[in-house]
Amino acid sequence: MSTSTRDKRSLDYALRSGIAGGVAGCVAKTVVAPLDRVKILFQASNPDFQKYAGSWSGAYKAGRAIYRDGGVRGLLQGHSATLLRIFPYAGIKFMAYDQWRALLMPDSAHETNVRRFTAGALAGLTSVTFTYPLELIRVRMAFQSRTHTRPTFLSAMMNIYHENARTGHRPPRQYTPSPARTLFQRFPVLKFYRGFTVTMVGMVPYAGTAFLTWDFLRAHFYPSTHDRTTPSAAANLLIGALSGALAQTASYPFEVVRRRMQVGGLTSPGRWLGWGEVVRAIWRGGPGGGASGSGMGGTGGMNANGPALRVGGWRGFYVGLGIGYLKIVPMTAVSFMVWQWAKGVLDV
């Protein structure tokens, strides 16, 4: 059955589109896995790597330090969790985009930039809703740097589940009991949703901008073959790269806040870090949410390697943006290109 006759609203089309998207996501994430780990360490203000943040050469130096300590496996730490997450995440995202696009733009007369943005944003929100716990586990695995044993997916999951319930745990002096702690104890599954709200908000500009740019450029340069696999692989690669660059710029501050909230169980045990607290900490140039001097890197920005670089003000919301471009641009380019290739192979 050809793509021209296959019903885009059918289950068969949705499953094929989802498989194509899942494959595309896995290939793209594998290409940029080392950069992804460095970016997480920068965004979450890991005290061992803060001294590298703030410069283009810092990403290379951080990667070299990771390789020196853990080899290739160190650079790929957390990648197993990434692959477990990215296949359903990318699969649902691309499948949902095809479905939302068909619903919002059934014909060319309905193709507007607002509808393109909306379809992309809804696709991103759909995928995040179903796969967020896997994303949190992946971030925790990548964040760990002071351990001789590489964290596994299962160990990271169990650590999150049992946070704040370990025998002998002593909360910091400035800690006061909060409803969040009680909620965590009663419903441990909520620990897997740290940073969920900011992720959902940040996904709107990210996925919306990415799919808007992708759809608009393909419609502009290939008007007679739009939504087909006719554009060359190089063209899809270039359009995907531009889509990724614009999407990263639009959503990056939300991503920085999200990373800080996701590692909140490590930096501020027993507490649910809210938006306002994390935003204020980033603006001050602190290592995380909570009071100054608490959590990781809590000795006034000092660590075993000397004073850690602190980036505050509006620049704090763009820490790691350079490496973000190095990661997102090729990743988005590869994912869109492979998605189109896989759809051709699967006849969708």
Side-chain angles (χ1 to χ4, degrees):
M1 183 183 298
S2 66
T3 56
S4 60
T5 59
R6 192 183 300 278
D7 181 8
K8 292 184 178 181
R9 302 300 303 278
S10 68
L11 178 61
D12 177 64
Y13 186 97
L15 291 176
R16 289 169 182 259
S17 177
I19 292 173
V23 170
C26 289
V27 173
K29 272 291 189 179
T30 301
V31 169
V32 300
L35 289 171
D36 198 23
R37 190 183 179 210
V38 172
K39 184 166 77 82
I40 288 174
L41 291 170
F42 282 1
Q43 288 179 329
S45 291
N46 185 294
D48 296 328
F49 290 86
Q50 274 298 90
K51 60 181 178 290
Y52 300 119
S55 68
W56 284 92
S57 62
Y60 170 74
K61 293 176 181 177
R64 188 171 60 181
I66 295 171
Y67 181 80
R68 183 180 62 246
D69 294 337
V72 174
R73 295 186 68 186
L75 291 171
L76 296 177
Q77 184 170 306
H79 189 55
S80 59
T82 297
L83 294 181
L84 286 174
R85 178 192 77 92
I86 200 62
F87 186 87
Y89 169 80
I92 293 173
K93 181 179 70 173
F94 284 115
M95 176 183 67
Y97 175 71
D98 275 340
Q99 295 303 303
W100 284 115
R101 191 183 191 285
L103 178 64
L104 296 175
M105 295 173 281
D107 51 55
S108 58
H110 289 83
E111 290 188 9
T112 65
N113 288 334
V114 172
R115 290 173 182 263
R116 288 170 176 141
F117 181 92
T118 302
L122 289 173
L125 294 176
T126 303
S127 62
V128 168
T129 299
F130 286 101
T131 62
Y132 188 79
L134 296 174
E135 159 71 0
L136 179 64
I137 294 171
R138 195 252 323 181
V139 170
R140 291 295 187 87
M141 291 177 68
F143 182 77
Q144 296 292 337
S145 63
R146 293 181 174 179
T147 177
H148 298 293
T149 304
R150 294 179 69 252
T152 64
F153 181 87
L154 182 60
S155 67
M157 182 178 68
M158 295 306 294
N159 284 338
I160 295 172
Y161 186 84
H162 292 294
E163 276 174 356
N164 316 319
R166 298 186 182 91
T167 303
H169 171 71
R170 292 184 179 180
R173 255 179 295 181
Q174 73 277 8
Y175 168 76
T176 55
S178 67
R181 180 177 175 84
T182 302
L183 200 61
F184 284 163
Q185 292 173 340
R186 294 185 61 185
F187 306 102
V189 70
L190 293 179
K191 299 173 186 177
F192 292 92
Y193 283 87
R194 289 180 181 269
F196 180 71
T197 54
V198 72
T199 300
M200 293 292 278
V201 173
M203 182 55 64
V204 172
Y206 178 78
T209 301
F211 280 109
L212 163 62
T213 306
W214 163 261
D215 212 344
F216 172 78
L217 291 178
R218 278 172 56 91
H220 179 74
F221 290 107
Y222 301 94
S224 61
T225 56
H226 185 44
D227 204 35
R228 305 281 183 87
T229 57
T230 300
S232 66
N236 286 328
L237 196 68
L238 178 59
I239 294 174
L242 292 173
S243 302
L246 291 176
Q248 179 77 343
T249 303
S251 64
Y252 196 78
F254 294 99
E255 187 172 352
V256 173
V257 175
R258 173 170 62 108
R259 296 301 189 202
R260 296 289 187 94
M261 295 178 73
Q262 286 176 331
V263 300
L266 300 175
T267 59
S268 300
R271 303 177 58 234
W272 183 285
L273 299 180
W275 282 55
E277 184 177 3
V278 174
V279 168
R280 287 192 296 271
I282 295 172
W283 183 265
R284 292 194 304 264
S292 176
S294 68
M296 300 191 68
T299 55
M302 300 293 292
N303 57 41
N305 298 306
L309 174 63
R310 289 192 174 188
V311 182
W314 67 268
R315 290 183 177 84
F317 295 93
Y318 289 92
V319 169
L321 179 59
I323 191 173
Y325 284 134
L326 290 177
K327 171 207 165 186
I328 290 295
V329 172
M331 185 187 76
T332 309
V334 171
S335 65
F336 274 121
M337 181 191 71
V338 175
W339 178 46
Q340 291 301 302
W341 170 81
K343 287 179 72 174
V345 171
L346 295 173
D347 193 25
V348 291

